[in-house]
Amino acid sequence: MHQKKLKERAKMDLIFIRATIFIILLTSSSSRPIPKITDSRIRRLIKQIFYIPPPGQSYFNTTSVQLSVSQICNNVCVPFHLCDNGSVITTGANLFAPRMGLDEDSEGPQYCSESEICCKLSYDDSNNEDMNSYEEFISKEITDLTEGDEDMEYDDGNNIDNTKKLQPRCGQRNFNMLQPRISGDDTAGFSEFPWMVMVLKKTLKSEFFDYQCGGSLIHPNVVLTAAHCIHKMHPKTLHIRAGEWDMEKTNEVLPHQDREIQSVIIHKDYYNPTLLNDVALLILKTPVELADNVNTICLPPQNYSFSKERCVVSGWGKENHSRESRFQTILKKVDVPVIPNFLCQMLFRNTVLGKYFRLDSSFICAGGEYGKDTCKGDGGSPLVCKIPNTSHSYYQSGIVSWGIGCSERNIPGAYVNVARYRKWIDTEMQKMELDSSSYIHE
């Protein structure tokens, strides 16, 4: 008798719900037309609410209810933005450029939730289930890297003979304080990074140039930068400025040098959605003149490895990802630890990229410290690391490429692995009959 009363009460409750929904729909239709419902899930739920079962059948079918809110999945469940044509996006395609915010990840359920979709994983990721067991390991690794090594020789310029004139060799970080530093640890000294180049673009409505991104001088005629900065631009709309420090001043100790672009060489396998092979060369119409504030950076040998060391990146990009943030007028610098790729991949999997993301070996990672990072506008800028057994000579290890947010703890930035492209650069230089000794460390 008790069960019969419960069924009758449930039946009455359902009738009441149907009547309420019907009244709401009827009332809404009097003021405006009801839009056509195109979402198949909503249509399915409405059909179930107004469903009248045949005689002898129950109003409640637990199996159909479960299937209505969940989706049985024999593959993996991922957020909708991580599934493309039925396959899981493991490359981060179309997610890099906007520098999207952080997103929490969770274990794949037996049934996909309404916010997920069943998707095919194109590779074996059986070890992914143990990802949570690495949390303590990740935390320890980042702590070890960000704290730095007390025995590591880090060049702050105090041991440099500032009276010695800069030699025309690549990678010479200049500590000749020709102009006092502005207070602040993140402000670069004048001519401190003489390889730093501004890439400018001409505006459509005037003859003036606007800041586009960063670059590095590797030859008096060649600038190395990121392909994503300039891949849709005609050389005539581009311009470079070497030797710049403060964009708002024109009376610096040494003048900057402006040059027009003759041609642009983008890696033939550059792919914008995933920023693979994000490397390009700008060929100048006329060479710059080497000076204390204009010099080349050394490039590492092919496949040279940078790991667990602190390096320096410079640029005029924004301080953070907020709308209020503006490009810097004075060149900034920040020291960041290089993160091993396996660890970097783990950290990226905790973001919007998802737990199946795979970091391509053409990238290296650096950062992961709160408040120390590159951001919008720093694309193409050089990440440089000190050459072993030297006092103040540097290799360019990376090119600023992409990131998830800016300056977030345990979220490093992704840089083009310059050592992977040394042979490509050499080949392009040979085609133009340009001497590669300008970026070879002696």
Side-chain angles (χ1 to χ4, degrees), residues 137-388:
F137 168 75
I138 291 175
S139 178
K140 182 179 182 302
E141 286 287 310
I142 286 291
T143 299
D144 291 344
L145 286 167
T146 56
E147 286 181 351
D149 187 347
E150 293 182 358
D151 296 329
M152 180 187 299
E153 182 187 3
Y154 187 72
D155 190 3
D156 60 1
N158 293 330
N159 297 321
I160 304 301
D161 181 5
N162 292 334
T163 63
K164 184 177 180 180
K165 185 175 177 60
L166 177 71
Q167 297 299 315
R169 296 197 303 262
C170 67
Q172 301 294 294
R173 185 175 178 180
N174 190 9
F175 291 101
N176 292 337
M177 296 296 106
L178 300 178
Q179 184 166 318
R181 293 173 183 261
I182 287 181
S183 60
D185 293 336
D186 63 345
T187 300
F190 177 79
S191 78
E192 183 175 355
F193 303 102
W195 50 79
M196 192 70 208
V197 170
M198 296 179 69
V199 179
L200 309 172
K201 64 176 180 180
K202 185 179 293 184
T203 59
L204 295 176
K205 298 181 179 180
S206 71
E207 292 298 314
F208 293 102
F209 287 87
D210 288 337
Y211 175 77
Q212 176 70 8
C213 59
S216 57
L217 190 70
I218 64 172
H219 183 280
N221 278 95
V222 184
V223 170
L224 177 65
T225 188
H228 77 261
C229 291
I230 45 85
H231 78 287
K232 291 183 178 180
M233 298 183 184
H234 193 279
K236 289 184 178 180
T237 65
L238 294 173
H239 203 80
I240 70 99
R241 175 170 292 178
E244 182 61 283
W245 181 62
D246 185 347
M247 288 190 276
E248 292 186 338
K249 292 184 178 181
T250 57
N251 59 345
E252 294 171 2
V253 177
L254 294 173
H256 60 254
Q257 300 180 37
D258 291 349
R259 295 293 186 272
E260 295 179 345
I261 305 301
Q262 175 177 304
S263 60
V264 173
I265 302 174
I266 295 177
H267 196 285
K268 65 181 181 62
D269 294 323
Y270 169 65
Y271 185 54
N272 191 60
T274 58
L275 297 182
L276 288 177
N277 304 302
D278 189 17
V279 58
L281 299 174
L282 304 179
I283 313 306
L284 311 184
K285 282 189 175 181
T286 56
V288 297
E289 296 179 8
L290 299 186
D292 279 304
N293 63 332
V294 178
N295 196 20
T296 60
I297 182 66
C298 300
L299 299 184
Q302 180 72 20
N303 297 326
Y304 186 90
S305 177
F306 298 92
S307 180
K308 295 187 177 182
E309 55 191 290
R310 296 194 74 88
C311 301
V312 184
V313 60
S314 53
W316 288 275
K318 295 184 177 182
E319 287 186 343
N320 55 60
H321 200 53
S322 68
R323 291 184 178 180
E324 295 76 21
S325 183
R326 296 289 181 265
F327 293 124
Q328 305 298 303
T329 58
I330 299 178
L331 184 64
K332 301 293 184 178
K333 65 177 179 180
V334 61
D335 62 290
V336 289
V338 174
I339 306 294
N341 274 29
F342 78 94
L343 175 57
C344 183
Q345 178 173 278
M346 292 180 192
L347 295 172
F348 277 139
R349 287 183 174 188
N350 290 327
T351 71
V352 69
L353 298 178
K355 61 184 177 182
Y356 300 106
F357 172 71
R358 305 184 82 179
L359 181 66
D360 192 83
S361 59
S362 63
F363 296 108
I364 63 172
C365 298
E369 296 175 317
Y370 179 75
K372 285 189 171 186
D373 197 5
T374 54
C375 204
K376 185 175 182 180
D378 283 317
S381 297
L383 173 72
V384 299
C385 304
K386 194 191 312 185
I387 299 174

Side-chain angles (χ1 to χ4, degrees), residues 17-43:
I17 293 172
R18 290 172 178 164
T20 302
I21 295 175
F22 179 75
I23 292 172
I24 293 173
L25 294 174
L26 186 62
T27 304
S28 301
S29 64
S30 63
S31 58
R32 62 179 181 274
I34 300 175
K36 182 179 179 181
I37 299 174
T38 59
D39 193 312
S40 60
R41 295 173 299 166
I42 296 177
R43 293 203 306 269

